[in-house]
Amino acid sequence: MVADALVYHPTVAHYLRFVATTVGRDKLLRTLQYFSRFYAWYLYRTNHPERIIAPFEAIKKQFGLTRKCLRIGKNVEHFKAAATAFDNTTMDPILKYCAVGRQLGYAMYLSLDTVTYLDASGIRPMASAKRLQKEAYRAWFTGLMFNTVSGLYILWQLRQREQNIDKKNGEGVVEIKKIQRERNSTNLQLISDLCDLAVPGTALGYANLDDGI
């Protein structure tokens, strides 16, 4: 039956595994939140009435608040990751300190984000909420910058490794393919970090980007 084919389709099983995790739900909500942000901006720029824009503004706000709630407690994970990276004696020193800086930046961001959730949700209004949110963005920006430096350093390392490989033998060809995979992965993460930097960068006044970006 058609219903059985849909229910037992592998795509459905993959989706259920995805949304069963907090990270999966956050990514889904983030996609919907950012689409609503962009679409609300687009509707505003094309002179649509407020009643058309309002639902997307509400989705942007409510999904953002939901994501804040889902992130509560996640700061502990990043504090632990920072300690683990700091204790690693075999890691490249530059990558080590970039990892520590990144994890501490994210941990502080999530810690402050949890505090501002109390104000945003109306549980405990605070006069210092705006200042704390700005400091949260500053911590997030710092963590992303450490990750960006780490990505650029990894790309430099890969280029140095590639130059020392003999491309004429079989082992060299295999190593080149391995380096290409690592480079593609690093480039993807670097692009993601640079895109993410637009959010705290704009909030802190380092850039002047609107919701269309």
Side-chain angles (χ1 to χ4, degrees):
M1 295 177 64
V2 176
D4 288 340
L6 291 173
V7 169
Y8 294 106
H9 195 278
T11 303
V12 176
H14 178 73
Y15 167 77
L16 292 175
R17 286 195 298 270
F18 180 74
V19 298
T21 65
T22 301
V23 174
R25 289 195 297 272
D26 182 71
K27 287 183 177 179
L28 180 61
L29 290 172
R30 182 178 186 179
T31 301
L32 295 172
Q33 179 195 3
Y34 280 29
F35 170 77
S36 297
R37 171 180 289 180
F38 165 76
Y39 199 55
W41 169 85
Y42 170 77
L43 292 173
Y44 174 76
R45 292 295 295 267
T46 51
N47 297 317
H48 282 73
E50 182 64 28
R51 62 183 177 79
I52 301 297
I53 302 173
F56 297 98
E57 287 286 353
I59 290 173
K60 178 183 74 172
K61 181 180 178 181
Q62 294 303 322
F63 281 20
L65 194 60
T66 301
R67 291 182 61 226
K68 272 180 178 285
C69 183
L70 289 175
R71 291 194 295 263
I72 292 175
K74 194 172 174 60
N75 56 335
V76 177
E77 174 186 332
H78 290 284
F79 277 124
K80 181 180 179 181
T84 301
F86 184 78
D87 291 336
N88 192 325
T89 57
T90 61
M91 187 183 294
D92 180 288
I94 294 178
L95 293 179
K96 174 179 177 177
Y97 289 110
C98 280
V100 172
R102 177 181 73 248
Q103 297 296 345
L104 287 177
Y106 292 167
M108 288 304 301
Y109 163 66
L110 292 168
S111 298
L112 293 169
D113 194 57
T114 298
V115 176
T116 59
Y117 170 77
L118 299 175
D119 176 82
S121 63
I123 295 174
R124 190 178 187 280
M126 294 178 292
S128 59
K130 288 186 177 180
R131 179 179 60 82
L132 291 174
Q133 187 62 65
K134 187 172 183 179
E135 293 303 319
Y137 279 129
R138 199 184 310 279
W140 184 17
F141 186 89
T142 301
L144 288 170
M145 285 302 299
F146 272 112
N147 211 34
T148 301
V149 171
S150 176
L152 293 173
Y153 180 69
I154 290 173
L155 290 176
W156 177 81
Q157 283 186 320
L158 293 174
R159 186 164 59 250
Q160 295 299 111
R161 280 172 53 191
E162 192 174 31
Q163 291 174 354
N164 296 325
I165 293 174
D166 183 0
K167 301 178 183 178
K168 296 180 180 179
N169 62 51
E171 291 184 0
V173 173
V174 173
E175 186 64 18
I176 287 293
K177 290 182 178 179
K178 181 180 177 182
I179 288 174
Q180 288 175 344
R181 287 194 298 270
E182 291 181 32
R183 181 181 289 121
N184 290 338
S185 177
T186 303
N187 280 330
L188 184 61
Q189 182 61 53
L190 195 56
I191 292 171
S192 176
D193 289 336
L194 291 174
C195 290
D196 283 343
L197 277 169
V199 179
T202 300
L204 293 168
Y206 300 154
N208 185 24
L209 305 174
D210 58 26
D211 285 349
I213 301 298

